[in-house]
Amino acid sequence: MPVIRARSCLSSPAVLALAALPWLCGPAAAAPRIVYSGTLQGAGEVVMELDSQPADGVVKGRYFYPRHGVDIPLQGTPQALAEPMTHQAAVDTGWDPQASPPPAAATWKGERDAQGYRGTWTDARSGKTRGFSLKRVAEYDPEQTAPGAVQAVTEAISGGRGSGVDAGADINARSAPYETLKLAGHALPAGEEVGAGAAAYRMWRDPRTGFMYPRLARHPNTQTLQRVNHLLEQRHWQMSLAALACKASVYENGSWGAGTLGGYDEESVQVTWLSSALLTVTESGSLFCGGAHPDNHFDLYTYDLLRGEYLDWNRVFPAYVAGEYSQSAPSPALLKIVDRARQKMAAAARSQRGRQDVDREGCSDVWPEFLALGAQAPGALSLSVSGVGHAMGVCLGTYAAVPFKDLEPYLAPGGRAYLVTD
């Protein structure tokens, strides 16, 4: 399994293109939400999400312009919704951050019915007005895809912003229509096709976030290609939502990182191995959008291209066994592989006088607790440090490579099929 840190009636291009910012916190945890799509006169297309029913007379929501993808919070009465100034702009007017709500930058006044939401948008400073007409396109319960409390707290501590959608939830037009409208159709191929064998990939890029993420461009099994590309797209979408949520936090606070992409625009995404049987993708970088410290990370995702899913390493060799509290634990075979890799690393270190990588010496001591498996060229099992705490961030990365041939004594039935090097 991958290492995970701790993500109709539609017709118009933006609607086909189907978070996380309520009024200065997370999405309202109450009634279902209604999603609208349409135009704001003179400003272009917008997508909006509002509470289906007011809570204590208050309606909360958010909206974005598809060309930017950045949420602008909304709050008010059913008759009038206010969108705030950015946090810093509000402070510059003399607003007390302890007061609530901040000064309005604009108001939306109109009527909602079963078909949509229509009315007038008014700029609070100039008084300029624009008409708007939005069609109702979806209704859903955000609680079904919201991240759990542990995940949300972890993101807050580690400097991550989070996507607003649980890492294990699928982002689609039924369960997360607002986020899907924000993401679908924006990423495009941005690199050359890579791969000389039966499989190949291309990098894709959403211009609003900048970083690239791979998709399979060729594979002998069409169904596998489609299933794995869905998983790759979901990873890309989770990261894009988190980046755009950080940019939207400019409405919440004035801290360093607010209003930026949180470091996602500098994220390093690499394909370390591709064959007709396996694909390994690494994500590494330093993310920060508030919190106690940056989220320095090195994460690996390996895909089973024989089955079209995330790889269960036990299909290759008996890597994990059942441990305490229903958690997996390293198997004797994996511990033996790790021990031999350590011995080779130690021998290599002794033979390299004046070694410069002193800061990372002893990092493999965190194995197997913080061990992550992957595959890398020219055909090897990679042993990496992943998921360590902030203080040990220097240890993140790959330390050893075990050639596929050295796994022969441990292979599971059918495991050899994963070690092709086409």
Side-chain angles (χ1 to χ4, degrees):
M1 292 298 291
V3 175
I4 299 179
R5 293 187 303 277
R7 103 338 318 191
S8 79
C9 59
L10 311 181
S11 57
S12 73
V15 175
L16 287 173
L18 277 207
L21 186 65
W23 192 271
L24 310 183
C25 59
R33 303 202 122 192
I34 299 174
V35 181
Y36 303 89
S37 179
T39 56
L40 175 60
Q41 181 184 15
E45 187 176 4
V46 297
V47 176
M48 183 180 292
E49 174 192 87
L50 298 173
D51 292 336
S52 59
Q53 298 293 332
D56 298 325
V58 176
V59 173
K60 294 183 180 181
R62 50 185 174 160
Y63 80 97
F64 65 86
Y65 296 92
R67 64 182 180 275
H68 301 305
V70 177
D71 285 345
I72 301 172
L74 296 168
Q75 179 171 309
T77 67
Q79 293 75 35
L81 294 169
E83 62 178 82
M85 298 178 179
T86 64
H87 180 89
Q88 189 58 53
V91 170
D92 290 344
T93 68
W95 170 66
D96 179 0
Q98 300 303 314
S100 182
T107 58
W108 297 70
K109 293 184 178 180
E111 294 183 358
R112 286 201 285 171
D113 56 29
Q115 284 69 49
Y117 183 31
R118 295 161 298 280
T120 302
W121 175 95
T122 304
D123 185 287
R125 291 185 175 180
S126 68
K128 181 177 180 179
T129 62
R130 302 176 186 270
F132 67 87
S133 178
L134 310 180
K135 181 180 179 181
R136 176 173 173 157
V137 296
E139 180 175 343
Y140 77 112
D141 181 359
E143 289 295 292
Q144 298 300 312
T145 55
V150 173
Q151 180 182 333
V153 169
T154 301
E155 287 166 347
I157 292 172
S158 67
R161 184 66 197 168
S163 68
V165 178
D166 190 87
D170 194 74
I171 303 169
N172 58 58
R174 181 188 58 80
S175 62
Y178 181 82
E179 286 79 9
T180 305
L181 277 168
K182 182 182 292 187
L183 296 166
H186 286 278
L188 297 170
E192 296 298 321
E193 187 174 296
V194 179
Y201 72 91
R202 291 186 71 181
M203 302 301 283
W204 286 54
R205 176 179 176 272
D206 184 331
R208 302 169 303 177
T209 56
F211 67 92
M212 310 242 276
Y213 212 86
R215 308 283 195 281
L216 289 176
R218 185 175 72 247
H219 190 273
N221 187 310
T222 302
Q223 290 186 336
T224 292
L225 183 145
Q226 292 174 345
R227 289 197 296 266
V228 171
N229 275 348
H230 177 73
L231 296 175
L232 292 167
E233 181 180 69
Q234 289 287 307
R235 279 298 310 147
H236 196 179
W237 281 10
Q238 280 278 354
M239 295 167 70
S240 294
L241 284 176
L244 293 171
C246 185
K247 203 164 187 179
S249 67
V250 71
Y251 293 97
E252 298 182 30
N253 60 72
S255 66
W256 183 82
T260 73
L261 290 167
Y264 279 99
D265 47 335
E266 298 178 358
E267 182 82 350
S268 175
V269 178
Q270 304 290 330
V271 174
T272 62
W273 178 253
L274 173 65
S275 69
S276 59
L278 293 176
L279 165 68
T280 293
V281 181
T282 64
E283 301 172 9
S284 60
S286 182
L287 307 176
F288 185 78
C289 193
H293 50 73
D295 177 14
N296 299 323
H297 61 279
F298 182 85
D299 298 331
L300 298 90
Y301 296 82
T302 298
Y303 300 85
D304 183 333
L305 302 191
L306 300 181
R307 301 170 67 89
E309 59 191 27
Y310 284 114
L311 177 68
D312 176 353
W313 279 101
N314 282 359
R315 294 189 181 279
V316 183
F317 70 100
Y320 297 98
V321 296
E324 291 185 311
Y325 310 112
S326 301
Q327 300 294 317
S328 61
S331 69
L334 180 56
L335 291 175
K336 186 176 294 185
I337 290 170
V338 168
D339 185 57
R340 289 181 176 176
R342 278 206 191 99
Q343 292 175 19
K344 290 183 178 180
M345 291 164 59
R350 287 193 297 270
S351 67
Q352 296 175 10
R353 296 179 180 178
R355 203 163 49 96
Q356 298 179 357
D357 201 12
V358 177
D359 288 343
R360 289 161 62 93
E361 187 172 0
C363 282
S364 66
D365 291 346
V366 301
W367 290 342
E369 183 178 2
F370 296 104
L371 171 68
L373 304 179
Q376 67 178 47
L381 174 73
S382 61
L383 306 179
S384 303
V385 172
S386 177
V388 293
H390 173 69
M392 295 190 64
V394 69
C395 284
L396 293 165
T398 298
Y399 286 81
V402 181
F404 284 164
K405 63 181 179 60
D406 290 354
L407 298 178
E408 288 285 341
Y410 311 104
L411 291 181
R416 186 171 285 102
Y418 288 98
L419 305 184
V420 296
T421 56
D422 52 359

